[in-house]
Every structure is written in structure tokens, then in C-alpha cells.
Amino acid sequence: MKSKIMYIENKSYGHHGPAWIGFVEFSKSGQTVYFNGKALKKLKNPGISGNHFDIETGKEYWVSGVKKNGQDRHQFGGGKIMIDIDSIEDYLKLVDFNIIDEKNFTKIEFSKTDKNRFNEIENIEVEYKNESRSASYWDNNKRKLILD
């Protein structure tokens, strides 16, 4: 599995949600991104703000490469970006600046991701509901899922 530095933002809070920069791993198919204890699966029909969803919670995330100018947040967004300390050296090689400004970034340590746990979640037989709003979230095929 190839690792790459990416920008990830939780879009359930609009443009001000928690955001991270750091190394991610991709599934063999490239459809799932693993980072910091999460598994984000690519949406077949991305929404306005998200292009992936958390397979545990259904929350939408924006996942993209990092921008050279460091302006990864949406122009109307804000908040510090959490950056994985293990990726800082490589990140600084990708961008047009050479220090991590603590006004814009919080240094953290990403937790390991147990990919086997997510494989089990994705391979569970899923029950489907009708189109009602009471189900927990849409799956990749626009069906709502029932979560335990």
C-alpha cells in the first residue's frame, strides 16, 4: 500500500471542520483512504463538500493532495490544521515555505489504523431500509444503511 501526504477535512461542520495533513495509505483499489485510525471510502457520486465518507460514521470528508501555497482550507473556511509530526519534513518539501507556523497548524501524532477491522466492517452483510430519513447514512450506492 502506497503512502502519500494528503489533506483531509471533516465536512460535517461546513468549511470549519477538523482538518489534517499527513501520510495516508490507500487500499489496493484506491477507493479507501486509511489515516489516523479512520477509513474513508470514495463516494461514487461526490457531494458538494465531500468526496469520501467514514465507513464507521457515514460523515463526509474532503480528501485531496496538498497545495504548494499551503492554502488547503476552503476560502471561506478556517481553523488550525492538525499535521502529523512524522510527515512534517516531507510536507515542507512539497510546499513553498520552510517552517510550520503554529498559528495555522497543530502538531499531532497520527494513531495507527487497523485496516483489518475496517475490512470486517465492509464485509458484514448489510441490512437496507427504505429511503426514510431515520436510517444512519447513505452508502456508496445511494442506499441508506442501518448501523448497529
Side-chain angles (χ1 to χ4, degrees):
M1 319 243 174
K2 190 171 177 180
S3 291
K4 185 175 181 181
I5 294 179
M6 301 292 284
Y7 172 77
I8 302 109
E9 183 177 333
N10 183 328
K11 297 309 278 184
S12 18
Y13 304 93
H15 301 306
H16 298 278
W20 301 263
I21 288 178
F23 284 110
V24 304
E25 287 187 75
F26 294 92
S27 62
K28 289 179 193 170
S29 68
Q31 298 299 302
T32 306
V33 174
Y34 301 102
F35 92 102
N36 200 26
K38 298 182 184 317
L40 308 176
K41 188 163 187 137
K42 187 177 262 184
L43 285 164
K44 287 183 183 172
N45 298 308
I48 293 171
S49 58
N51 57 7
H52 286 71
F53 69 95
D54 184 319
I55 68 168
E56 286 185 298
T57 66
K59 291 182 178 179
E60 284 193 6
Y61 285 76
W62 180 259
V63 178
S64 67
V66 296
K67 294 183 179 173
K68 286 184 76 63
N69 65 5
Q71 302 297 311
D72 293 289
R73 285 258 189 210
H74 188 277
Q75 65 180 0
F76 300 117
K80 284 188 172 186
I81 297 171
M82 293 171 271
I83 186 164
D84 181 28
I85 57 174
D86 292 335
S87 67
I88 291 173
E89 185 179 327
D90 291 79
Y91 175 70
L92 289 173
K93 291 176 186 172
L94 296 173
V95 295
D96 293 333
F97 47 92
N98 55 14
I99 59 163
I100 298 298
D101 186 344
E102 299 204 10
K103 289 187 315 194
N104 301 319
F105 294 95
T106 300
K107 297 175 185 176
I108 66 163
E109 190 169 343
F110 278 9
S111 59
K112 295 285 181 206
T113 304
D114 179 5
K115 290 177 253 164
N116 290 328
R117 181 170 67 89
F118 294 110
N119 289 336
E120 289 171 14
I121 290 170
E122 288 193 286
N123 291 315
I124 291 172
E125 248 337 283
V126 178
E127 294 181 45
Y128 292 96
K129 264 191 173 182
N130 60 20
E131 299 282 318
S132 75
R133 293 186 179 269
S134 60
S136 298
Y137 70 93
W138 294 98
D139 78 350
N140 229 3
N141 296 309
K142 293 298 181 187
R143 294 175 291 198
K144 286 192 172 185
L145 303 179
I146 301 170
L147 298 178
D148 294 332

